[in-house]
Amino acid sequence: MSFTCRLMREDEFTMEFELFVMETFFPYEPMNQYLKTKVPDEIDLPWLKQVFYKAKTDHLSLAFYDLEKNCSLPIAYSLNLHDKKDDDTTDHSDILYSSLNRHYLHKHEHISGLLTKLHENIDLFKEFQCNNLFHVYLLGVNPKYRRNQLASQLIDKSIQFAKENNFDLIYADVTGDYSLKAFLKYNFQIFKTINYNSYENYSGEKTFQNISIHKGCSIVVKDLRNKYKEKSFT
């Protein structure tokens, strides 16, 4: 197999790619898997379109392509977003956790609620005294190409791309133990974790307490500036 990794072009954010993301990310993400989210019927499409629009216009998303296949779709992707300190807060990628789809809201709202609580009272700009954040927002791999270390390579290439473009910090919201292990391999640090078995939503319900394979959802960060030393958040 012969693969190449490159920056995604704006014209590649098509409806076909949007469906590809739905089919390769949500069925394998632990919370959606636990809730048995149906693709595409129970996906919050307005939210996903917002993610796609921001990823397309930020020009930071990377993808692997199979050079032996005559196909415009990638085989793995990392949708990366740019958060700026001085932007209006509605342009920060965290605001995308707010759901807009009122018809199938119940499942997405459970996930959005946990991620919102994960980021509650957290200001990474202030914590790290920085102005630009590189957010690895969605990372997925075509199941046919698993075991090729593509996800790990996308993390590595995202780090290098962020450094080359003078980002201060790279971070991600990790919802599974396998993904967490991949980020920790590249010296990300766990900034905050919410365990699935103890998380309660705003109604006091333990929505994800029976997720047994994965521990919880974590914010992981990596400071890209040499002058800052590794710090512990425990």
Side-chain angles (χ1 to χ4, degrees):
M1 293 184 181
S2 182
F3 307 142
T4 186
C5 182
R6 62 170 173 79
L7 198 65
M8 290 191 68
R9 304 188 308 267
E10 283 196 23
D11 64 348
E12 292 177 314
F13 286 84
T14 61
M15 290 293 293
E16 186 181 14
F17 177 61
E18 187 174 310
L19 181 60
F20 175 72
V21 170
M22 285 191 273
E23 292 175 341
T24 55
F25 177 79
F26 295 98
Y28 304 97
E29 189 283 316
M31 288 187 285
N32 280 285
Q33 195 174 51
Y34 177 72
L35 294 174
K36 299 180 180 179
T37 301
K38 297 177 182 178
V39 177
D41 294 344
E42 294 180 331
I43 301 298
D44 186 347
L45 295 179
W47 161 78
L48 188 60
K49 289 184 182 298
Q50 281 190 315
V51 173
F52 266 65
Y53 176 77
K54 184 162 175 57
K56 180 173 70 174
T57 55
D58 283 351
H59 302 106
L60 299 174
S61 297
L62 299 169
F64 271 100
Y65 296 83
D66 187 343
L67 297 176
E68 298 176 0
K69 301 287 184 180
N70 184 22
C71 180
S72 61
L73 287 175
I75 58 174
Y77 53 86
S78 178
L79 298 187
N80 302 321
L81 309 181
H82 184 182
D83 292 349
K84 303 174 185 177
K85 182 178 180 180
D86 297 329
D87 277 353
D88 186 283
T89 54
T90 57
D91 194 46
H92 290 169
S93 54
D94 290 347
I95 201 69
L96 297 175
Y97 295 135
S98 299
S99 181
L100 299 175
N101 187 335
R102 313 314 299 181
H103 184 57
Y104 285 114
L105 182 59
H106 57 289
K107 288 190 176 180
H108 183 84
E109 192 173 49
H110 286 310
I111 297 170
S112 178
L114 187 151
L115 291 170
T116 299
K117 195 166 186 178
L118 182 68
H119 283 265
E120 198 170 51
N121 301 319
I122 286 179
D123 184 346
L124 294 178
F125 296 106
K126 182 177 180 180
E127 179 71 31
F128 289 90
Q129 301 176 35
C130 61
N131 297 312
N132 293 286
L133 305 178
F134 189 104
H135 190 173
V136 180
Y137 198 82
L138 290 181
L139 197 155
V141 179
N142 184 327
K144 296 179 181 179
Y145 291 86
R146 292 180 184 272
R147 300 184 184 280
N148 285 291
Q149 303 297 313
L150 296 180
S152 291
Q153 291 183 63
L154 280 169
I155 294 171
D156 185 35
K157 291 182 181 298
S158 292
I159 294 169
Q160 298 308 315
F161 189 68
K163 285 181 178 178
E164 291 167 4
N165 286 273
N166 300 312
F167 279 87
D168 302 317
L169 187 87
I170 183 170
Y171 79 104
D173 303 308
V174 183
T175 62
D177 288 1
Y178 307 133
S179 298
L180 178 61
K181 184 178 180 180
F183 279 96
L184 294 180
K185 174 184 175 182
Y186 290 100
N187 297 317
F188 280 75
Q189 292 180 282
I190 298 174
F191 184 80
K192 180 182 177 181
T193 297
I194 291 181
N195 291 331
Y196 290 132
N197 62 3
S198 60
Y199 165 72
E200 293 185 359
N201 64 20
Y202 293 106
S203 300
E205 301 170 322
K206 290 191 173 183
T207 315
F208 300 109
Q209 65 176 341
N210 292 321
I211 296 182
S212 57
I213 300 177
H214 304 278
K215 181 180 178 181
C217 186
S218 301
I219 300 173
V220 294
V221 300
K222 181 178 177 68
D223 200 318
L224 302 174
R225 299 163 294 182
N226 292 330
K227 64 179 180 179
Y228 281 81
K229 295 181 179 180
E230 298 279 337
K231 61 189 295 186
S232 174
F233 306 107
T234 57

